[in-house]
């Protein structure tokens, strides 16, 4: 995917879905190192099970980062003006996240086209792991 031109983006425009995964404990551990989130619930399976979880689970920000990368691959990193996420379900090792996005509003302005998009990262179970909304200011 690449940044969309303003002529190609209107209300109802949808991004081509993208999948991430299957996600692994190794990915969670690598994200811990990259982000500084060293909560052992994300990489120590024995501790996570002792705490009552079925296994380790992904950092919410890890899943949000995957959704954000999907969004900027679609509309461009330099055009992001707002990005808000809502964590809805935990993500486990073996999960595959399918990211989708749709333009829900578009406003022509003097400095470009301000578009609002709704984004989701859905687990293979059908449960939404992350919901998000974002604004992008597209040139033109």
């Amino acid at each position: 995917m690449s940044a969309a031109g303003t002529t190609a983006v209107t209300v109802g425009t949808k991004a081509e879905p993208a999948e991430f995964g299957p996600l692994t404990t190794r990915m969670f551990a690598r994200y811990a190192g990259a982000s500084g989130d060293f909560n052992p619930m994300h990489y120590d399976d024995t501790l996570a099970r002792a705490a009552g979880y079925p296994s380790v689970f992904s950092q919410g920000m890890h899943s949000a980062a995957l959704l954000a990368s999907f969004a900027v691959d679609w509309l461009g990193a330099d055009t992001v003006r707002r990005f808000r996420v809502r964590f809805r379900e935990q993500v486990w090792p073996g999960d595959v996240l399918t990211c989708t996005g749709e333009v829900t509003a578009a406003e022509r302005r003097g400095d470009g086209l301000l578009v609002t998009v709704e984004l989701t990262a859905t687990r293979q179970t059908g449960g939404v792991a992350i919901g998000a909304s974002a604004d992008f200011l597209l040139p033109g």
Side-chain angles (χ1 to χ4, degrees):
M1 286 185 276
S2 61
T6 58
T7 58
V9 177
T10 60
V11 172
T13 298
K14 294 180 181 179
E16 186 70 29
E19 288 187 353
F20 295 91
L23 301 178
T24 65
T25 301
R26 173 179 265 185
M27 291 172 172
F28 306 160
R30 293 175 73 186
Y31 185 80
S35 69
D37 178 356
F38 290 105
N39 183 334
M41 295 296 167
H42 303 302
Y43 56 84
D44 185 333
D45 201 57
T46 301
L47 185 67
R49 290 178 190 275
Y53 295 101
S55 73
V56 296
F57 50 91
S58 176
Q59 301 89 342
M61 290 304 292
H62 177 232
S63 302
L66 296 173
L67 187 58
S69 69
F70 163 77
V72 299
D73 283 350
W74 177 27
L75 295 170
D78 57 336
T79 64
V80 176
R81 294 300 178 266
R82 179 185 63 84
F83 187 81
R84 179 178 12 193
V85 299
R86 182 174 199 163
F87 306 111
R88 297 176 66 185
E89 283 192 10
Q90 287 177 308
V91 174
W92 307 96
D95 277 356
V96 174
L97 295 179
T98 301
C99 295
T100 58
E102 180 175 357
V103 175
T104 58
E107 175 188 348
R108 175 68 55 200
R109 299 175 10 163
D111 55 350
L113 181 66
L114 182 66
V115 297
T116 300
V117 298
E118 296 298 320
L119 305 155
T120 58
T122 305
R123 297 176 56 229
Q124 73 284 353
T125 61
V128 174
I130 303 284
S133 67
D135 291 336
F136 291 82
L137 182 60
L138 304 178

